[in-house]
Amino acid sequence: MSYNIPREGDMLESRMIELVKNHLEISVSQDVSDFDNVDCHIYSESTADGYDVYMCTNNPSQPSICEDVYYYDHDLAEAFKNQIDYNDKTFYICDSIYEDCYFEDTLLELFSEHVEDIIENDELDITLEEINYLKKEYELEDEEANSAKVV
């Protein structure tokens, strides 16, 4: 994937991912040593008869078969977004699942969904040049500049 190759004038996708993670106050680790120190765990397991299933759980020692186990890995990105909505902040995502299920694309989708809030977030380390680029790219204009005054 070419997440760090910008076209001229474009913002790096890796920068967008960094901004959305900071805005949503989430962290994503693919380091298995972080497994016990996160809110949500996304990984695969094998069944007794050799099938792979996928887990998205807050309790890996006692996952709920009905709520935490997925037969298809393509459902994990949506489960990840749901966990963010449920206020999970720290995630462990198995590196092969992270790549195979396009989690960076999911983070870019989240960036697009939150771009206006990201621009207005004074606590983010975002430059004026980046703000202007995003306003142009996402066709966001200052409301004050476009509002017609009624006399």
Side-chain angles (χ1 to χ4, degrees):
M1 304 213 176
S2 60
Y3 289 104
N4 290 316
I5 302 173
R7 293 178 300 226
E8 190 169 331
D10 284 352
M11 179 181 280
L12 292 173
E13 290 179 337
S14 60
R15 176 67 173 144
M16 293 177 182
I17 290 170
E18 174 189 346
L19 287 170
V20 75
K21 285 165 59 176
N22 289 340
H23 174 70
L24 296 173
E25 299 176 350
I26 62 171
S27 66
V28 177
S29 176
Q30 295 165 41
D31 184 349
V32 74
S33 66
D34 293 330
F35 190 84
D36 293 328
N37 302 316
V38 296
D39 298 325
C40 182
H41 310 77
I42 300 174
Y43 59 99
S44 63
E45 286 287 354
S46 294
T47 62
D49 55 353
Y51 290 95
D52 285 332
V53 292
Y54 303 93
M55 313 295 286
C56 179
T57 183
N58 298 107
N59 186 356
S61 61
Q62 294 181 339
S64 167
I65 301 299
C66 296
E67 296 175 14
D68 299 340
V69 179
Y70 294 82
Y71 188 73
Y72 299 106
D73 63 355
H74 63 263
D75 293 329
L76 294 173
E78 189 65 31
F80 169 68
K81 287 172 70 173
N82 289 338
Q83 292 305 121
I84 292 171
D85 289 342
Y86 299 145
N87 288 319
D88 283 352
K89 298 294 183 188
T90 56
F91 295 84
Y92 166 79
I93 303 175
C94 171
D95 58 353
S96 62
I97 290 174
Y98 187 86
E99 293 296 324
D100 294 345
C101 297
Y102 304 102
F103 274 84
E104 288 184 342
D105 289 345
T106 301
L107 289 165
L108 290 170
E109 286 175 29
L110 286 168
F111 179 87
S112 293
E113 292 171 16
H114 293 273
V115 67
E116 289 183 70
D117 295 330
I118 289 169
I119 289 171
E120 295 174 6
N121 187 336
D122 294 334
E123 295 186 17
L124 290 180
D125 181 25
I126 186 169
T127 67
L128 185 56
E129 181 181 7
E130 290 173 324
I131 290 171
N132 289 333
Y133 167 78
L134 292 172
K135 283 182 177 181
K136 182 179 177 188
E137 183 70 19
Y138 288 90
E139 299 178 359
L140 304 172
E141 300 198 20
D142 294 326
E143 291 178 23
E144 297 163 5
N146 288 335
S147 63
K149 290 188 176 182
V150 178
V151 181

